[in-house]
Amino acid sequence: MRRVVCPGSFDPVTNGHLDIVTRAARLYDEVVVAVLRNPNKTPMFSVDERVEMLRAVTKDLDNVSVVKFDGLIVDFCKANEISAIVKGLRAVSDFDYELQMAQMNYNQAGVETLFISTNPLYAFLSSSLVKDFAKYGGDVASLVPGPVLDRLTVRSADS
Ligand code: PNS
């Protein structure tokens, strides 16, 4: 059984995330999407809301499950017999931090990190930019899945 994890804060999940999860699901037997807290970010959606949105948009992918986790990603991997982390790489700007995390996770626990190159269609896309644009009335309909757009519209109007 080749089981991998796609970790992230997913606040909210974008079409770029979904592309990576879908491609990982074609390569591995099982993909666990783990919603983790990123201490460097203040979230718009609670972890439970993010999990709900991810479940809704991955419901047709039979080998994908979504869970929340608070702690180190390597501990999550150990507890769930996961040997590798799969992440999308958008640009060189992602690389330094991602490489550092990958090396730390390998050094500490022998957990591998595998990078999938982001579809150029989504190379510019980030949850933060989507939130900014949605907040000020920008049209992000082509950047996030339908169920996410609905929640984003409501939450942006509230804020
Ligand atoms: O979507 P993000 O915010 O870029 O995801 C970053 C995330 C949540 C995957 C990363 O911060 C993480 O792995 N956090 C869990 C805590 C942890 O293991 N930290 C050490 C990483 S070397």
Side-chain angles (χ1 to χ4, degrees):
M1 169 73 78
R2 294 169 309 156
R3 182 187 294 144
V4 295
V5 62
C6 288
S9 39
F10 303 105
D11 182 47
V13 56
T14 67
N15 287 343
H17 293 130
L18 193 53
D19 179 60
I20 297 296
V21 171
T22 304
R23 287 159 67 193
R26 283 190 213 123
L27 293 169
Y28 298 99
D29 298 317
E30 225 182 273
V31 175
V32 182
V33 179
V35 181
L36 290 114
R37 201 174 58 84
N38 184 336
N40 302 317
K41 297 178 182 171
T42 308
M44 174 183 260
F45 295 100
S46 71
V47 170
D48 287 333
E49 288 174 313
R50 288 180 252 159
V51 167
E52 270 174 36
M53 286 187 271
L54 273 158
R55 286 194 177 139
V57 304
T58 57
K59 67 177 179 356
D60 295 331
L61 300 170
D62 292 341
N63 59 340
V64 173
S65 57
V66 183
V67 298
K68 62 179 170 181
F69 184 74
D70 201 10
L72 290 175
I73 186 63
V74 291
D75 290 336
F76 180 82
C77 290
K78 247 183 268 172
N80 292 282
E81 293 177 8
I82 290 170
S83 56
I85 297 166
V86 171
K87 290 215 159 172
L89 257 195
R90 286 169 299 195
V92 179
S93 50
D94 282 344
F95 187 71
D96 276 353
Y97 184 50
E98 291 296 344
L99 181 67
Q100 199 181 1
M101 282 199 287
Q103 289 174 332
M104 185 73 174
N105 287 331
Y106 185 75
N107 171 276
Q108 291 291 301
V111 173
E112 299 282 5
T113 300
L114 304 166
F115 294 108
I116 293 182
S117 58
T118 294
N119 184 326
L121 277 178
Y122 306 125
F124 61 91
L125 189 50
S126 72
S127 298
S128 307
L129 281 182
V130 163
K131 283 182 286 190
D132 273 357
F133 271 73
K135 198 167 152 191
Y136 295 106
D139 180 3
V140 295
S142 63
L143 306 179
V144 294
V148 175
L149 184 64
D150 296 343
R151 291 215 192 196
L152 203 48
T153 308
V154 173
R155 188 60 49 92
S156 303
D158 288 349
S159 65

